[in-house]
Amino acid sequence: MADQTQKSWVRSANFGLAILAFINLFSYLDRYVVSALIESLKHSDLGLSDANLGSLMSGFLVVYTLTAPVFGALGDRRSRPRLIAFGVACWSFATALSGFAGSYLTLLAARASVGVGEAAYVTIAPSLLADYFPVRQRGRVMAIFFCAIPVGSALGYVVGGLVDKHYGWRMAFFVAGVPGLLLAALCLLLRDPPRGQQDTGAMGTDTVHTGAAPAVKPASPSPRANLRKDTWAAYGRLVRNKPYALTILGYAAYTFAVGGLAVWMPAFLERARGIPRSEATVSFGAIVVITGFIGTFIGGWLGDYCAKYSRQAYLWLSAIATLVAAPFVWMALTTNSHPVYLVCMVSGQLCLFLSTGPINAAIINLVSATERATAIALSVFAIHLLGDALSPPLIGALSDHFSLAQAVKIVPVAVVIGGCIWGWAARTQARAPLTLCPTPEPG
């Protein structure tokens, strides 16, 4: 009986959420450890320019976005825990290899390889969580999962900065990469429930009108030609889903802003504000982790509460919070007063993170249960190709020609664009035909 209880706990939804959230934390630690090392890399024997440094993130994101659709298609048809385990092991190994880089090209290749592993994880994990928990908890579950983003990003700054200070930038990559190999093994303990099992309540009485695409017959293993045909058909349906498409475009503008801010803020604080390197990484990391944790949780719970009254609640909440964030971000980047910078940066980041849970819950709810991994893959492809694959090198190039203080001013402009498009998506969803999908559990 004890063995059965332990096995039931290991395979439970809460255990799955804990493991996936913890992996998400390490994925962003691995991703943003480079931001803490920018100044050390710039003055290392690798001889990197700001444009080179910005392209390190872009190299990762290009590979990440190009491989995401492949794993999205596989995630709707194959074992999701095994695919996730492969991805985690892949990116952890690639991060550790970054510490051996002897030139710009070898470092770029190692960082780009991280994108293969993260594409496997990020596209599949949200669809797995959607099948672990009922619809009425989806905003909160996504908030818990995505709150690992600010925590992991902040740890990337803090761990990277501290290890760099005491042991050098190469050791920082080793410390960031190795723990992921253990997490990859834990992924194999996760269960893979039937797709869409949580979209219909146990009593089958209450319905939520989300404007999602009609459910399609779950895909079964098929020959490679049929798999390719089904995948292209699924992407075609998603592109024609106007609320979904607009949501992704708004997300791309949002990601452009957040990605550029995340990569360049430590260097901005050192160059434009005269803050010492280790203090710049730790202080900005502290702001990210506190505002991210609080903002993401509040946004998730608030989104679920408002969704009881409006099917556009997730989108409207994301749009309003993002538009409110824009003036705070502008003031934080342009003021010469450090206290004003702190107040505005904390306020702006808090508002930006409010949309994390709701916008990802909106994406999940706007598509069919059997196409969620594919939808997330297309989302990953678009938001990074049009978002933070562009902003770090663009800011770096503008910094080389003007100054970093001038270059970062494009960030609040992108924030405004993202908020406006999400408002447009909410209005489009309101006019979309009502579809009885999904159905929440009573209570």
Side-chain angles (χ1 to χ4, degrees):
M1 180 68 69
D3 290 341
Q4 290 179 345
T5 302
Q6 183 178 11
K7 184 176 180 181
S8 175
W9 178 80
V10 167
R11 299 174 69 83
S12 70
N14 289 330
F15 175 78
L17 175 59
I19 293 298
L20 293 175
F22 200 59
I23 293 172
N24 208 26
L25 183 151
F26 265 89
S27 76
Y28 278 83
L29 188 156
D30 286 7
R31 187 181 303 189
Y32 284 107
V33 69
V34 176
S35 298
L37 308 178
I38 280 182
E39 292 301 305
S40 293
L41 289 169
K42 184 178 178 67
H43 297 97
S44 71
D45 56 358
L46 299 182
L48 305 181
S49 67
D50 281 351
N52 293 147
L53 292 165
S55 67
L56 292 178
M57 179 62 79
S58 296
F60 154 77
L61 289 170
V62 167
V63 174
Y64 179 55
T65 55
L66 292 178
T67 54
V70 176
F71 287 108
L74 292 173
D76 281 329
R77 295 161 176 83
R78 301 290 187 264
S79 170
R80 290 175 285 187
R82 292 180 182 178
L83 288 168
I84 291 172
F86 165 79
V88 177
C90 182
W91 96 54
S92 300
F93 185 68
T95 298
L97 283 180
S98 300
F100 293 105
S103 67
Y104 164 66
L105 290 179
T106 54
L107 181 60
L108 178 63
R111 296 308 300 167
S113 299
V114 174
V116 177
E118 290 207 22
Y121 171 72
V122 173
T123 56
I124 297 170
S127 74
L128 192 59
L129 288 174
D131 291 327
Y132 280 165
F133 294 92
V135 174
R136 59 186 171 83
Q137 297 178 6
R138 197 158 283 166
R140 282 167 281 180
V141 168
M142 292 300 160
I144 293 171
F145 175 71
F146 284 103
C147 81
I149 293 178
V151 177
S153 301
L155 285 176
Y157 298 128
V158 175
V159 173
L162 292 177
V163 175
D164 177 36
K165 179 180 179 180
H166 295 287
Y167 303 102
W169 64 267
R170 295 184 185 275
M171 183 58 69
F173 282 121
F174 300 147
V175 171
V178 171
L181 299 175
L182 174 61
L183 294 172
L186 290 176
C187 289
L188 298 176
L189 299 176
L190 302 179
R191 62 188 179 91
D192 193 5
R195 289 160 175 79
Q197 74 167 17
Q198 296 287 359
D199 288 354
T200 302
M203 296 177 63
T205 55
D206 297 329
T207 59
V208 170
H209 302 285
T210 65
V216 297
K217 184 179 179 180
S220 58
S222 59
R224 185 174 301 177
N226 289 338
L227 175 61
R228 185 163 54 246
K229 181 179 178 181
D230 291 344
T231 301
W232 281 112
Y235 284 128
R237 285 190 292 271
L238 291 171
V239 170
R240 293 190 297 271
N241 183 339
K242 190 173 180 180
Y244 167 84
L246 287 173
T247 299
I248 300 310
L249 286 177
Y251 209 170
Y254 172 93
T255 305
F256 181 99
V258 173
L261 205 63
V263 169
W264 285 107
M265 273 307 296
F268 169 82
L269 292 174
E270 181 176 355
R271 298 184 200 178
R273 297 289 183 265
I275 299 176
R277 185 177 307 172
S278 59
E279 182 182 341
T281 56
V282 173
S283 64
F284 184 66
I287 291 175
V288 171
V289 71
I290 294 172
T291 59
F293 196 82
I294 295 174
T296 302
F297 267 101
I298 292 176
W301 263 260
L302 186 60
D304 280 349
Y305 176 80
C306 295
K308 298 176 183 179
Y309 307 101
S310 170
R311 63 175 180 149
Q312 301 92 47
Y314 293 133
L315 285 170
W316 277 124
L317 176 60
S318 300
I320 294 170
T322 304
L323 290 173
V324 171
F328 288 112
V329 176
W330 176 265
M331 285 295 298
L333 296 175
T334 56
T335 183
N336 292 320
S337 168
H338 190 67
V340 173
Y341 156 77
L342 286 176
V343 171
C344 290
M345 182 55 69
V346 168
S347 301
Q349 291 276 25
L350 188 65
C351 292
L352 287 173
F353 282 116
L354 278 174
S355 65
T356 304
I359 204 62
N360 284 281
I363 292 172
I364 289 291
N365 287 343
L366 286 169
V367 301
S368 167
T370 56
E371 294 179 349
R372 282 180 180 145
T374 304
I376 295 165
L378 182 57
S379 164
V380 167
F381 180 86
I383 68 174
H384 293 299
L385 185 67
L386 302 176
D388 52 3
L390 296 177
S391 55
L394 179 57
I395 292 174
L398 291 173
S399 174
D400 286 337
H401 285 84
F402 302 101
S403 69
L404 188 55
Q406 294 298 319
V408 295
K409 290 181 180 179
I410 65 174
V411 169
V413 176
V415 173
V416 172
I417 293 172
C420 290
I421 296 177
W422 277 341
W424 184 11
R427 292 175 63 86
T428 303
Q429 185 185 10
R431 295 191 296 266
L434 297 180
T435 305
L436 300 181
C437 175
T439 304
E441 290 182 354

